[in-house]
C-alpha cells in the first residue's frame, strides 16, 4: 500500500470511531437525544454542531461537518506528535510510538503510569486519560491540542488504541523522519475521490 491508501485507512477508522462515539453520546444521524445532558463531551459536541447548523441547511449536514472536523483534528494531533517524537527530531519523549520493550505501550505512557499508578487498573491502562493529559501539556504551546478547541473529542479507548496502532503500522518510521511528511499526510488526507 502507498501513503495515500494508508492515510485513507486511518482516516476511515477515525471517522467511524467518532461516528460511534457520537451515537453513544446521543447524537445520531438525524437528531440529538442525549443520554446524559451533563456529559461534557456531549455538551461540547452539541454546541459545535449547533454553531455549524447556523450555516448549514440541515442537521445531517451539520453533524457530517462536525464529524469531518473532529476526525481531521485528531488526525493532525496524532500526526503532529509522531513528527515531534521522531528519532530525527526528538522534541519529546515517545507518546504515540509503541514499543515491545515498553510492554506494547509508549515510553511516555509507562512514565505516566509510574506517576499515576491507579490508572493501571483502568481500561488499556488509562490510555485515554494518558493521551488527554499529553494533549493538555502540549496545549500550553500549541493551540491545536487545547481542550477549548470545539473539536476536542477522543474516541472510545479501544478505538483510540486501534487508531494509534494504525499510525504506527501503516506509516513507516522512515516516513516519519522525512522533512515533508506533514505536507504529504495533509495532501493524502484531503485527497478527493472523483
Amino acid at each position: 500500500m502507498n501513503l495515500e491508501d494508508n492515510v485513507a485507512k486511518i482516516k476511515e477508522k477515525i471517522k467511524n470511531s467518532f461516528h460511534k462515539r457520537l451515537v453513544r453520546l446521543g447524537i445520531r444521524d438525524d437528531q440529538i437525544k442525549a443520554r446524559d445532558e451533563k456529559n461534557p463531551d456531549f455538551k461540547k459536541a452539541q454546541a459545535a454542531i449547533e454553531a455549524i447548523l447556523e450555516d448549514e441547511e440541515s442537521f445531517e449536514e451539520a453533524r457530517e461537518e462536525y464529524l469531518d472536523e473532529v476526525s481531521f483534528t485528531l488526525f493532525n494531533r496524532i500526526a503532529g506528535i509522531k513528527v515531534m517524537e521522531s528519532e530525527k527530531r526528538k522534541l519529546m519523549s515517545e507518546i504515540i510510538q509503541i514499543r515491545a520493550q515498553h510492554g506494547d505501550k509508549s515510553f511516555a505512557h509507562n512514565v505516566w503510569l509510574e506517576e499515576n499508578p491507579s490508572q493501571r487498573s483502568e481500561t488499556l491502562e488509562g490510555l485515554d486519560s494518558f493521551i488527554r493529559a499529553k494533549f493538555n501539556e502540549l496545549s500550553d504551546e500549541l493551540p491545536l491540542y487545547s481542550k477549548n478547541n470545539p473539536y476536542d473529542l477522543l474516541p472510545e479507548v479501544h478505538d483510540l488504541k486501534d487508531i494509534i496502532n494504525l499510525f504506527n503500522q501503516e506509516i513507516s518510521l522512515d516516513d516519519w523522519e522525512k522533512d515533508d511528511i506533514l505536507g504529504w499526510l495533509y495532501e493524502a488526507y484531503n485527497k478527493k475521490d472523483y
Side-chain angles (χ1 to χ4, degrees):
M1 287 177 105
N2 63 26
L3 185 63
E4 281 182 11
D5 293 337
N6 294 337
V7 168
K9 186 175 181 180
I10 295 169
K11 178 181 178 179
E12 181 179 3
K13 176 61 181 173
I14 293 172
K15 194 166 183 179
N16 288 339
S17 297
F18 278 125
H19 169 73
K20 289 190 311 189
R21 181 76 202 282
L22 290 179
V23 169
R24 286 187 187 120
L25 288 171
I27 303 172
R28 294 177 169 58
D29 291 334
D30 59 349
Q31 67 175 329
I32 294 180
K33 191 172 182 181
R35 291 184 175 189
D36 177 3
E37 289 186 4
K38 294 180 183 177
N39 180 310
D41 288 337
F42 168 78
K43 288 164 61 171
K44 184 178 274 191
Q46 179 185 27
I49 291 170
E50 287 174 352
I52 294 168
L53 193 53
E54 292 175 10
D55 297 326
E56 295 292 341
E57 292 184 22
S58 72
F59 175 81
E60 292 83 2
E61 291 171 335
R63 183 187 187 278
E64 186 64 24
E65 184 175 326
Y66 175 79
L67 196 54
D68 288 341
E69 293 295 333
V70 76
S71 298
F72 189 55
T73 298
L74 183 64
F75 182 89
N76 282 323
R77 286 173 165 188
I78 294 176
I81 291 172
K82 286 290 292 180
V83 168
M84 291 185 283
E85 73 182 15
S86 69
E87 190 68 29
K88 179 179 181 177
R89 293 169 192 87
K90 291 188 179 180
L91 298 173
M92 62 178 55
S93 62
E94 292 180 338
I95 294 171
I96 302 297
Q97 183 60 50
I98 295 168
R99 298 197 185 268
Q101 68 259 34
H102 302 306
D104 291 327
K105 293 183 289 300
S106 70
F107 173 79
H109 192 180
N110 273 337
V111 170
W112 182 81
L113 285 169
E114 289 175 15
E115 297 166 355
N116 300 279
S118 65
Q119 291 292 318
R120 289 188 186 279
S121 62
E122 296 298 319
T123 304
L124 296 177
E125 296 183 284
L127 176 65
D128 50 350
S129 297
F130 161 69
I131 293 295
R132 172 63 61 208
K134 292 302 170 184
F135 283 0
N136 288 343
E137 286 176 23
L138 289 169
S139 72
D140 292 340
E141 300 291 326
L142 302 166
L144 171 65
Y145 297 93
S146 173
K147 62 185 172 190
N148 296 323
N149 182 320
Y151 306 111
D152 176 61
L153 186 67
L154 289 178
E156 299 293 334
V157 67
H158 289 286
D159 286 329
L160 180 60
K161 174 74 169 172
D162 291 344
I163 291 164
I164 289 170
N165 285 340
L166 286 174
F167 271 92
N168 287 311
Q169 295 164 1
E170 300 298 325
I171 303 170
S172 73
L173 286 173
D174 289 339
D175 281 340
W176 289 114
E177 301 297 327
K178 294 177 181 173
D179 290 333
D180 55 358
I181 185 62
L182 286 177
W184 285 111
L185 291 173
Y186 181 81
E187 186 175 313
Y189 190 97
N190 290 298
K191 183 173 173 39
K192 302 271 189 227
D193 294 324
Y194 294 103

